[in-house]
Amino acid sequence: MAHKMITVISREDIARRVAELGEEITAHYHGQPLVVVCVLKGAFLFYADLVRHIRTPMEMDFVRLSSYGSGTSRGRQAVFTKDMEVDVDGKHVLLVEDIVDTGRSAEFLLHVLEKRGAASLKICSFVDKSERREVSLKVDFAGFPIQKGFIVGYGMDYAEQYRELDAVYELVPE
Ligand code: IMP
Ligand code: MG
C-alpha cells in the first residue's frame, strides 16, 4: 500500500523538547543514581539523545519486548525477547519508551521491575497517546501528546522501515 508522509515533529522541535525533558528528569532525581532503561527498538534514538541531557549518575540498560509484529495492528500480551542485565533491586529506575499507546507494554515492564525491587519507577515517553490508553497508567515525563495517526521516524518504524529518519512523520494511506 502506498503512503504519503506528513511531517508532524521537526528535528528542531525534537531537539528542543528532548533537552527540556532532560532538565525535568535531572531536577526530579537531584543527583540520585538512576537506572535508565531503553525499550528497544523504537526508543533507541530518543534514548541516546535524552541521556546526554540528564545530569545524574546513570546505569544504562536495554530491554526488548515482543510487540506489534510488522504492521500497525494492535498489541498482544507482552513478553521479553531481551531482558535486562542490571540488577534494579533498591534502585531508582526510569523507563524510556518511544510511544505509550494502550499502555500494556509499559504496564508489563512496571509490574516486572516492581517485583524485582526497584526503589522507584517512572516512565519517560517521547510520544504519549494518552487517549488510547486501555490500562490506567500515567507517563511521568512526556515529550509530545499525539492522539491519532500512525507515526514513523526518530526510531519508530512501520514494518522495520523509517527508523533512521531524524524527524517524525505521520503515515497517511493514499
Ligand atoms: P502499547 O502502549 O503497549 O500499546 O504499545 C506501544 C508500542 O506500540 C510503542 O512502543 C510502539 O512500538 C508501538 N506503536 C504504537 N503506536 C505507534 C505508531 O504510531 N508508530 C509506530 N509504533 C507505534
Ligand atoms: Mg516500542
Side-chain angles (χ1 to χ4, degrees):
M1 190 171 38
H3 289 94
K4 203 166 54 194
M5 289 173 55
I6 300 167
T7 310
V8 289
I9 313 173
S10 69
R11 54 186 293 187
E12 293 78 15
D13 288 347
I14 292 172
R16 191 177 318 118
R17 188 70 190 116
V18 172
E20 286 171 2
L21 285 170
E23 282 166 30
E24 283 178 42
I25 292 164
T26 300
H28 179 79
Y29 290 99
H30 50 82
Q32 297 178 99
L34 183 62
V35 180
V36 192
V37 182
C38 175
V39 185
L40 296 170
K41 299 178 189 171
F44 83 108
L45 288 181
F46 174 47
Y47 182 86
D49 287 342
L50 181 68
V51 293
R52 284 178 280 181
H53 290 282
I54 299 175
R55 300 283 170 257
T56 208
M58 286 177 275
E59 286 181 274
M60 301 193 190
D61 209 347
F62 302 82
V63 296
R64 173 130 168 82
L65 300 175
S66 69
S67 56
Y68 275 34
S70 55
T72 55
S73 60
R74 300 280 286 274
R76 330 173 272 275
Q77 187 60 44
V79 287
F80 282 112
T81 56
K82 188 230 171 285
D83 200 342
M84 288 187 66
E85 291 162 24
V86 169
D87 180 5
V88 298
D89 190 22
K91 297 175 185 169
H92 298 291
V93 179
L94 177 67
L95 288 175
V96 179
E97 277 271 15
D98 56 352
I99 303 180
V100 176
D101 183 25
T102 67
R104 291 189 185 278
S105 17
E107 183 188 51
F108 166 81
L109 281 169
L110 288 179
H111 178 71
V112 171
L113 297 178
E114 194 187 323
K115 280 202 300 191
R116 292 180 184 174
S120 73
L121 280 165
K122 299 262 180 228
I123 302 177
C124 175
S125 187
F126 178 68
V127 166
D128 187 4
K129 289 184 170 175
S130 58
E131 288 170 15
R132 290 175 41 84
R133 214 72 97 234
E134 291 174 6
V135 295
S136 146
L137 179 141
K138 201 180 128 282
V139 173
D140 302 285
F141 306 99
F144 296 91
I146 292 182
Q147 304 306 343
K148 53 184 176 56
F150 194 85
I151 55 175
V152 297
Y154 197 54
M156 298 172 283
D157 76 309
Y158 172 70
E160 292 302 328
Q161 292 180 78
Y162 310 121
R163 292 193 195 274
E164 73 280 12
L165 302 177
D166 60 5
V168 175
Y169 301 86
E170 182 179 345
L171 276 192
V172 182
E174 283 192 302

